Amino acid sequence: HSLRRRQRQMCIRDRYLVPDGLSVVINFVLKKRDFQGKSYYVVYDMGGGSTKASLFSIEQPDNETEPLRVEFGGYGYDSQLGGSNFTLKVASLIESKFLSKNKDITTEELYRNPKAVAKIVQAAEKAKLILSANSEASISMESVLEDVDFKTKITKQEFEDSLENGASEIVEPIRAALDGQFWDEKIDPKQVSGVILTGGSSS
């Protein structure tokens, strides 16, 4: 119970645990301001190689002159899920299109050339960023292999279809935060008002 109390503590002094996502949710509170009663939010933070989800409650006391109360209620973490996973998904799409267009080149031949693989991954990273805000991304690579240039397009639909099998992995940190709540009275997932995205790969 003492650990549970410490995990709920929102004081920023060194002797207390400061949960991940606290600064994000405080910034959210300051911008939104118009809260009624108690609501619940998850801060979803995806970086390049890992993902964290932090559950918070935000409560406006009946006396509106009193400050909002923010409480940390759950935490989920995946050390293997990150933006690099999505880059590799796009790279796999580019690779398939490249080999389909250049049927005389085998997968083994492509993989034996580190520079060619690196070019595909670099193009995938750029395409992933473009697809976060656009319906398609154009890709152009010179000399993927000697004297072999390549141009193609990746659509957002193709990218999303490639992620279907991994959809459960994406939401697993949120599920973990909800399943392992610190509060004595657990909330239902339907009570979560929203998910606040942060981190370089969450968009």
Side-chain angles (χ1 to χ4, degrees), residues 99-172:
L99 292 173
S100 178
K101 185 175 181 180
N102 300 278
K103 297 186 182 299
D104 57 325
I105 299 173
T106 65
T107 302
E108 291 75 17
E109 183 181 355
L110 179 63
Y111 286 177
R112 282 198 300 267
N113 190 315
K115 289 185 178 180
V117 174
K119 285 183 179 181
I120 290 175
V121 173
Q122 289 172 358
E125 179 65 26
K126 292 178 182 178
K128 180 189 71 174
L129 296 175
I130 293 171
L131 289 172
S132 68
N134 298 276
S135 60
E136 67 177 31
S138 297
I139 296 156
S140 179
M141 296 182 288
E142 295 183 358
S143 299
V144 180
L145 294 173
E146 187 175 355
D147 297 326
V148 180
D149 299 334
F150 181 62
K151 291 183 179 181
T152 191
K153 289 183 179 180
I154 299 291
T155 67
K156 177 170 284 189
Q157 188 62 56
E158 287 177 310
F159 178 45
E160 291 177 349
D161 289 345
S162 74
L163 297 175
E164 281 188 357
N165 293 335
S168 60
E169 295 179 4
I170 295 172
V171 300
E172 185 56 36

Side-chain angles (χ1 to χ4, degrees), residues 181-195:
Q181 293 175 45
F182 310 137
W183 296 316
D184 294 327
E185 295 185 10
K186 312 295 192 227
I187 67 163
D188 187 271
K190 293 180 180 179
Q191 293 176 261
V192 176
S193 298
V195 177

